[in-house]
Amino acid sequence: MKTMIGRLLALTLLASAPPATGWAVDVSAEPHAVGSETAPNKLSFVLNPGCASCEKLFLDLAQPPASQLVAAGELSYTIQLIYFRLGDLRVDMLARCSGRFEEALAAAFARREEWAESVDPATGELKEVDGEVSYAVILSIYAPDFLSYDEVFQCLRNAELFEELKARAKTVRETYGIRGTPTTVREGSAIAGYDKFQEIIADIAGEQ
Protein backbone atom coordinates (compact mmCIF):
# COMPACT_ATOMS: atom_id res chain seq x y z
CA MET A 1 0.00 0.00 0.00
CA LYS A 2 2.80 2.43 0.88
CA THR A 3 4.47 1.68 -2.46
CA MET A 4 1.25 2.41 -4.36
CA ILE A 5 0.72 5.67 -2.48
CA GLY A 6 4.28 6.69 -3.28
CA ARG A 7 3.76 6.00 -6.95
CA LEU A 8 0.52 7.93 -7.05
CA LEU A 9 2.23 10.85 -5.32
CA ALA A 10 4.98 10.75 -7.92
CA LEU A 11 2.41 10.99 -10.69
CA THR A 12 0.72 14.00 -9.10
CA LEU A 13 3.92 15.95 -9.64
CA LEU A 14 3.52 15.53 -13.40
CA ALA A 15 0.27 17.48 -13.48
CA SER A 16 1.73 20.77 -12.25
CA ALA A 17 4.46 21.12 -14.89
CA PRO A 18 5.09 20.28 -18.56
CA PRO A 19 6.43 16.78 -19.21
CA ALA A 20 10.18 16.59 -18.52
CA THR A 21 12.81 14.96 -20.68
CA GLY A 22 14.24 11.84 -19.14
CA TRP A 23 13.06 8.69 -20.92
CA ALA A 24 15.64 7.03 -23.15
CA VAL A 25 13.15 4.85 -25.03
CA ASP A 26 12.48 6.10 -28.58
CA VAL A 27 8.73 6.06 -29.21
CA SER A 28 7.41 6.99 -32.64
CA ALA A 29 4.90 9.82 -33.05
CA GLU A 30 4.03 8.65 -36.58
CA PRO A 31 0.42 7.58 -37.23
CA HIS A 32 -0.15 3.89 -36.45
CA ALA A 33 -0.05 2.01 -39.77
CA VAL A 34 -1.81 -1.24 -40.72
CA GLY A 35 -1.59 -3.22 -43.96
CA SER A 36 0.67 -3.35 -46.98
CA GLU A 37 2.28 -0.19 -48.33
CA THR A 38 1.43 -1.44 -51.82
CA ALA A 39 -2.31 -1.77 -51.14
CA PRO A 40 -4.33 0.04 -53.84
CA ASN A 41 -6.73 1.54 -51.30
CA LYS A 42 -5.22 3.75 -48.60
CA LEU A 43 -7.24 5.41 -45.86
CA SER A 44 -6.44 7.47 -42.80
CA PHE A 45 -8.71 7.49 -39.78
CA VAL A 46 -8.74 10.47 -37.45
CA LEU A 47 -10.12 9.43 -34.08
CA ASN A 48 -10.49 10.74 -30.54
CA PRO A 49 -10.26 8.36 -27.56
CA GLY A 50 -13.32 9.93 -25.92
CA CYS A 51 -15.58 9.51 -28.96
CA ALA A 52 -18.20 6.71 -28.99
CA SER A 53 -18.43 6.59 -32.79
CA CYS A 54 -14.64 6.43 -32.96
CA GLU A 55 -14.73 3.34 -30.77
CA LYS A 56 -17.25 1.72 -33.13
CA LEU A 57 -15.09 2.51 -36.15
CA PHE A 58 -11.95 1.25 -34.43
CA LEU A 59 -13.60 -2.05 -33.50
CA ASP A 60 -15.01 -2.45 -37.04
CA LEU A 61 -11.49 -2.30 -38.47
CA ALA A 62 -10.71 -5.63 -36.81
CA GLN A 63 -13.81 -7.26 -38.36
CA PRO A 64 -14.87 -8.18 -41.91
CA PRO A 65 -15.01 -6.65 -44.43
CA ALA A 66 -12.22 -4.25 -43.36
CA SER A 67 -10.02 -6.98 -41.86
CA GLN A 68 -10.48 -9.16 -44.96
CA LEU A 69 -9.49 -6.30 -47.25
CA VAL A 70 -6.32 -5.74 -45.23
CA ALA A 71 -5.48 -9.45 -45.22
CA ALA A 72 -5.98 -9.60 -48.99
CA GLY A 73 -3.61 -6.68 -49.51
CA GLU A 74 -6.39 -4.49 -50.88
CA LEU A 75 -6.53 -1.97 -48.03
CA SER A 76 -4.04 -0.23 -45.77
CA TYR A 77 -4.75 2.50 -43.27
CA THR A 78 -3.32 4.71 -40.59
CA ILE A 79 -4.82 5.77 -37.28
CA GLN A 80 -4.19 9.32 -36.11
CA LEU A 81 -5.55 10.47 -32.76
CA ILE A 82 -6.45 14.11 -32.20
CA TYR A 83 -7.12 15.70 -28.86
CA PHE A 84 -9.90 17.84 -27.48
CA ARG A 85 -8.24 17.81 -24.03
CA LEU A 86 -4.77 17.05 -22.71
CA GLY A 87 -6.01 13.83 -21.15
CA ASP A 88 -6.64 12.48 -24.67
CA LEU A 89 -3.02 13.11 -25.58
CA ARG A 90 -1.87 11.12 -22.55
CA VAL A 91 -3.95 8.15 -23.73
CA ASP A 92 -2.12 8.30 -27.07
CA MET A 93 1.27 8.56 -25.36
CA LEU A 94 0.69 5.51 -23.20
CA ALA A 95 -0.74 3.43 -26.06
CA ARG A 96 2.42 4.14 -28.05
CA CYS A 97 4.77 3.54 -25.12
CA SER A 98 3.18 0.15 -24.51
CA GLY A 99 4.35 -1.13 -27.89
CA ARG A 100 0.86 -2.62 -28.34
CA PHE A 101 -0.95 0.39 -29.75
CA GLU A 102 -4.17 -1.27 -30.91
CA GLU A 103 -4.65 -3.36 -27.78
CA ALA A 104 -3.90 -0.43 -25.50
CA LEU A 105 -6.21 1.90 -27.42
CA ALA A 106 -8.96 -0.73 -27.27
CA ALA A 107 -8.51 -0.86 -23.49
CA ALA A 108 -8.88 2.93 -23.29
CA PHE A 109 -11.98 2.88 -25.49
CA ALA A 110 -13.51 0.16 -23.30
CA ARG A 111 -13.12 2.48 -20.30
CA ARG A 112 -14.12 5.56 -22.29
CA GLU A 113 -16.92 6.76 -20.04
CA GLU A 114 -14.93 6.18 -16.88
CA TRP A 115 -11.94 7.91 -18.44
CA ALA A 116 -14.07 10.92 -19.46
CA GLU A 117 -15.40 11.25 -15.91
CA SER A 118 -11.86 11.43 -14.56
CA VAL A 119 -11.02 14.51 -16.67
CA ASP A 120 -11.72 18.06 -15.52
CA PRO A 121 -13.72 19.73 -18.35
CA ALA A 122 -12.34 23.15 -17.39
CA THR A 123 -8.66 22.21 -17.77
CA GLY A 124 -8.73 19.08 -19.92
CA GLU A 125 -6.46 17.41 -17.38
CA LEU A 126 -7.23 14.77 -14.76
CA LYS A 127 -9.40 15.83 -11.84
CA GLU A 128 -8.08 16.46 -8.38
CA VAL A 129 -9.18 14.37 -5.42
CA ASP A 130 -8.50 15.78 -1.96
CA GLY A 131 -6.26 18.43 -3.48
CA GLU A 132 -4.17 16.00 -5.54
CA VAL A 133 -4.46 14.93 -9.17
CA SER A 134 -5.86 11.41 -9.38
CA TYR A 135 -4.23 9.01 -11.83
CA ALA A 136 -6.24 6.05 -10.56
CA VAL A 137 -8.14 5.45 -13.81
CA ILE A 138 -5.14 5.80 -16.11
CA LEU A 139 -3.12 3.47 -13.91
CA SER A 140 -5.89 0.89 -13.84
CA ILE A 141 -6.06 0.89 -17.65
CA TYR A 142 -2.36 0.61 -18.43
CA ALA A 143 -0.57 -0.85 -15.41
CA PRO A 144 0.44 -3.58 -15.12
CA ASP A 145 -1.19 -5.08 -18.25
CA PHE A 146 0.60 -2.85 -20.77
CA LEU A 147 3.30 -1.03 -18.80
CA SER A 148 4.84 -1.28 -15.38
CA TYR A 149 4.04 1.54 -12.98
CA ASP A 150 7.53 2.97 -13.49
CA GLU A 151 7.11 2.86 -17.27
CA VAL A 152 3.83 4.79 -16.99
CA PHE A 153 5.69 7.53 -15.12
CA GLN A 154 8.53 7.55 -17.64
CA CYS A 155 6.17 7.67 -20.62
CA LEU A 156 4.17 10.60 -19.27
CA ARG A 157 7.42 12.52 -18.75
CA ASN A 158 8.56 12.05 -22.36
CA ALA A 159 8.58 15.72 -23.39
CA GLU A 160 9.67 15.04 -26.97
CA LEU A 161 6.81 12.61 -27.60
CA PHE A 162 4.34 14.97 -25.92
CA GLU A 163 5.29 17.89 -28.16
CA GLU A 164 5.53 15.82 -31.36
CA LEU A 165 2.09 14.28 -30.88
CA LYS A 166 0.53 17.64 -30.05
CA ALA A 167 2.08 19.27 -33.12
CA ARG A 168 1.12 16.39 -35.43
CA ALA A 169 -2.49 16.43 -34.22
CA LYS A 170 -2.66 20.20 -34.78
CA THR A 171 -1.30 19.81 -38.31
CA VAL A 172 -3.85 17.12 -39.15
CA ARG A 173 -6.73 19.22 -37.85
CA GLU A 174 -5.62 22.29 -39.78
CA THR A 175 -4.75 20.43 -43.00
CA TYR A 176 -8.12 18.72 -43.30
CA GLY A 177 -10.27 21.23 -41.40
CA ILE A 178 -11.34 18.56 -38.94
CA ARG A 179 -13.94 19.73 -36.44
CA GLY A 180 -15.20 16.38 -35.21
CA THR A 181 -14.44 12.68 -35.14
CA PRO A 182 -14.40 10.11 -36.55
CA THR A 183 -13.11 11.37 -39.88
CA THR A 184 -11.90 9.23 -42.78
CA VAL A 185 -9.34 10.68 -45.15
CA ARG A 186 -9.51 9.17 -48.64
CA GLU A 187 -7.43 10.47 -51.54
CA GLY A 188 -6.78 13.72 -49.69
CA SER A 189 -10.43 14.41 -48.83
CA ALA A 190 -11.73 14.35 -45.27
CA ILE A 191 -15.11 12.65 -44.86
CA ALA A 192 -16.71 12.95 -41.42
CA GLY A 193 -18.94 10.43 -39.68
CA TYR A 194 -19.15 6.75 -38.81
CA ASP A 195 -21.82 6.12 -41.48
CA LYS A 196 -19.53 7.53 -44.17
CA PHE A 197 -16.77 5.17 -43.01
CA GLN A 198 -19.12 2.23 -43.48
CA GLU A 199 -20.00 3.43 -46.97
CA ILE A 200 -16.34 3.80 -47.93
CA ILE A 201 -15.46 0.28 -46.73
CA ALA A 202 -18.50 -1.15 -48.51
CA ASP A 203 -17.47 0.68 -51.69
CA ILE A 204 -13.94 -0.75 -51.55
CA ALA A 205 -15.27 -4.24 -50.80
CA GLY A 206 -17.70 -3.98 -53.73
CA GLU A 207 -14.84 -3.28 -56.13
CA GLN A 208 -13.18 -6.64 -55.35
Side-chain angles (χ1 to χ4, degrees), residues 192-204:
Y194 172 74
D195 292 344
K196 293 298 183 181
F197 153 75
Q198 291 182 304
E199 291 176 9
I200 290 169
I201 294 298
D203 179 53
I204 295 172

Side-chain angles (χ1 to χ4, degrees), residues 34-43 65-77 186 201 204-205 207-208:
V34 176
S36 171
E37 294 182 357
T38 62
N41 298 285
K42 295 178 172 59
L43 303 175
S67 62
Q68 292 174 328
L69 290 168
V70 171
E74 296 294 332
L75 171 66
S76 66
Y77 61 84
R186 186 183 192 187
I201 294 298
I204 295 172
E207 294 174 356
Q208 308 313 310

Side-chain angles (χ1 to χ4, degrees), residues 2 27 52 72 77 95 97 127 135 139 175 180 197 203:
K2 289 182 179 179
V27 181
Y77 61 84
C97 288
K127 291 178 180 178
Y135 278 77
L139 281 170
T175 299
F197 153 75
D203 179 53

Side-chain angles (χ1 to χ4, degrees), residues 36-141:
S36 171
E37 294 182 357
T38 62
N41 298 285
K42 295 178 172 59
L43 303 175
S44 295
F45 300 111
V46 183
L47 311 178
N48 174 268
C51 158
S53 294
C54 295
E55 179 182 11
K56 290 173 63 179
L57 187 156
F58 176 75
L59 294 175
D60 281 359
L61 290 174
Q63 303 295 326
S67 62
Q68 292 174 328
L69 290 168
V70 171
E74 296 294 332
L75 171 66
S76 66
Y77 61 84
T78 61
I79 295 175
Q80 167 73 53
L81 298 187
I82 61 171
Y83 324 114
F84 300 125
R85 51 199 178 185
L86 286 176
D88 298 336
L89 195 160
R90 302 200 187 284
V91 167
D92 197 1
M93 290 177 72
L94 290 165
R96 291 169 182 277
C97 288
S98 73
R100 294 155 57 194
F101 181 85
E102 292 180 55
E103 293 175 69
L105 183 56
F109 272 133
R111 303 275 296 279
R112 179 175 46 78
E113 293 183 4
E114 187 179 354
W115 168 250
E117 283 295 317
S118 73
V119 175
D120 185 337
T123 65
E125 272 287 19
L126 298 180
K127 291 178 180 178
E128 292 188 1
V129 177
D130 296 329
E132 295 180 346
V133 174
S134 173
Y135 278 77
V137 174
I138 203 168
L139 281 170
S140 66
I141 294 173

Side-chain angles (χ1 to χ4, degrees), residues 107-199:
F109 272 133
R111 303 275 296 279
R112 179 175 46 78
E113 293 183 4
E114 187 179 354
W115 168 250
E117 283 295 317
S118 73
V119 175
D120 185 337
T123 65
E125 272 287 19
L126 298 180
K127 291 178 180 178
E128 292 188 1
V129 177
D130 296 329
E132 295 180 346
V133 174
S134 173
Y135 278 77
V137 174
I138 203 168
L139 281 170
S140 66
I141 294 173
Y142 292 106
D145 291 343
F146 295 98
L147 295 161
S148 70
Y149 290 103
D150 289 341
E151 287 169 339
V152 168
F153 307 157
Q154 292 170 21
C155 181
L156 292 176
R157 296 181 67 233
N158 188 333
E160 183 177 355
L161 179 61
F162 181 94
E163 295 299 336
E164 285 183 4
L165 289 175
K166 186 167 68 171
R168 182 176 291 280
K170 180 181 179 182
T171 298
V172 169
R173 292 178 72 165
E174 292 177 349
T175 299
Y176 297 107
I178 292 172
R179 299 183 181 276
T181 53
T183 293
T184 302
V185 178
R186 186 183 192 187
E187 298 178 351
S189 298
I191 306 157
Y194 172 74
D195 292 344
K196 293 298 183 181
F197 153 75
Q198 291 182 304
E199 291 176 9

